[in-house]
């Protein structure tokens, strides 16, 4: 157990739908990062939150959004889902910015859009 | 922007043989470099990291990597492969402090 908790582990939904993925960071970590992993794109950075504030954006689609709550858990919202959104979505956390710490990853949410 | 290139999407070694996974980085400022391992249906686990100081970095499970600035490389090695080392390995770089940029990954196959 890495200490980063992601729910649900698996999600199957239809095109056009909206889903919410949840992440609880490791105790004491203030930064949360979301990544998408697919066979063709590899690991793509989506977005980072630090202590409730958006800190950095990567290749995140406009249909996707995220937030970090006062208790530091984070949610990634995916809307108007397309088949191509099927992927593994990882959450990671670090004490502050990643710097020399590296990340601690959760076990991921596997999203299948049918 | 910083990036990494992992040479070889698949590497196959015999059990007991040397493991060498290659990573080259691009960065305009001194980088922080990382190697992660991903086992099937699991998240990524940190193997080792280079921040500053000693250029030869030792990690978990007998792995080590050497930061070579002149070659912009951070290759991962292990003297003797075990069957349990079969996994996907990712090299990553950051210098902004905001996010890690990952390579495409190298799948390591260990044969008996």
């Amino acid at each position: 157990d890495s200490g980063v908790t992601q729910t649900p582990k698996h999600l199957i939904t239809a095109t056009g739908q909206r889903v919410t993925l949840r992440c609880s960071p490791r105790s004491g970590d203030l930064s949360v990062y979301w990544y998408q992993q697919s066979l063709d794109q590899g690991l793509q950075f989506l977005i980072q939150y630090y202590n409730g504030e958006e800190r950095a954006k990567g290749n995140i689609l406009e249909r996707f959004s995220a937030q970090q709550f006062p208790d530091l858990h984070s949610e990634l919202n995916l809307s108007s889902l397309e088949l191509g959104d099927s992927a593994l979505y990882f959450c990671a956390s670090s004490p502050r910015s990643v710097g020399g710490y590296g990340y601690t990853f959760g076990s991921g949410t596997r999203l299948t859009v049918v | 922007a910083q990036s990494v290139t992992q040479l070889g999407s698949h590497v196959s070694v015999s059990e007991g043989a040397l493991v060498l996974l290659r990573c080259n980085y691009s960065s305009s400022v001194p980088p922080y470099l990382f190697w992660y391992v991903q086992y099937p249906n699991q998240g990524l686990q940190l193997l080792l990291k280079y921040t500053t100081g000693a250029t030869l970095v030792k990690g978990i499970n007998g792995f080590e990597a050497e930061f070579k600035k002149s070659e912009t490389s951070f290759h991962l090695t292990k003297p003797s492969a075990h069957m349990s080392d079969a996994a996907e390995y990712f090299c990553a770089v950051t210098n902004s402090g905001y996010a890690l940029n990952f390579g495409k990954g190298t799948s390591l196959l260990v044969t008996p």
Side-chain angles (χ1 to χ4, degrees):
Chain A
D1 182 6
S2 68
V4 178
T5 303
Q6 288 189 249
T7 57
K9 292 191 182 304
H10 301 276
L11 201 49
I12 302 175
T13 190
T15 54
Q17 295 298 304
R18 172 190 169 95
V19 297
T20 298
L21 312 183
R22 182 187 170 103
C23 169
S24 293
R26 194 178 59 165
S27 178
D29 285 356
L30 299 178
S31 274
V32 169
Y33 309 79
W34 287 97
Y35 280 78
Q36 180 193 61
Q37 185 181 36
S38 61
L39 282 175
D40 53 342
Q41 295 293 323
L43 274 161
Q44 295 287 313
F45 168 63
L46 296 179
I47 197 165
Q48 178 203 359
Y49 278 82
Y50 173 72
N51 204 21
E53 302 277 335
E54 181 185 305
R55 188 76 181 268
K57 262 187 176 180
N59 300 322
I60 189 166
L61 300 173
E62 285 191 9
R63 300 183 286 108
F64 296 0
S65 65
Q67 55 184 328
Q68 186 179 29
F69 295 87
D71 66 352
L72 300 179
H73 91 271
S74 178
E75 294 181 356
L76 179 67
N77 300 296
L78 315 176
S79 61
S80 303
L81 285 167
E82 303 174 358
L83 296 177
D85 298 326
S86 296
L88 261 173
Y89 290 84
F90 284 108
C91 168
S93 70
S94 69
R96 299 183 185 85
S97 57
V98 60
Y101 299 104
Y103 296 156
T104 301
F105 277 86
S107 57
T109 293
R110 182 172 294 280
L111 174 66
T112 303
V113 183
V114 297
Chain B
Q2 64 277 20
S3 64
V4 294
T5 301
Q6 291 184 240
L7 300 175
S9 58
H10 294 83
V11 170
S12 181
V13 300
S14 300
E15 192 174 18
L18 172 72
V19 175
L20 172 60
L21 304 182
R22 299 178 187 273
C23 173
N24 287 89
Y25 69 90
S26 170
S27 177
S28 58
V29 298
Y32 297 129
L33 293 158
F34 304 82
W35 276 99
Y36 283 82
V37 61
Q38 184 180 28
Y39 298 101
N41 300 314
Q42 294 187 27
L44 282 76
Q45 180 184 6
L46 181 64
L47 271 179
L48 49 79
K49 61 184 180 183
Y50 169 78
T51 54
T52 58
T55 56
L56 181 62
V57 179
K58 295 187 183 301
I60 62 172
N61 300 339
F63 284 93
E64 62 183 36
E66 187 171 11
F67 170 64
K68 292 187 176 180
K69 184 178 178 181
S70 61
E71 299 177 8
T72 62
S73 69
F74 191 57
H75 301 331
L76 182 70
T77 60
K78 181 174 181 177
S80 176
H82 295 173
M83 298 296 291
S84 59
D85 294 326
E88 189 86 13
Y89 291 81
F90 293 90
C91 183
V93 65
T94 186
N95 54 33
S96 69
Y98 290 125
L100 288 179
N101 286 328
F102 285 87
K104 295 286 190 184
T106 298
S107 179
L108 177 65
L109 175 66
V110 182
T111 58

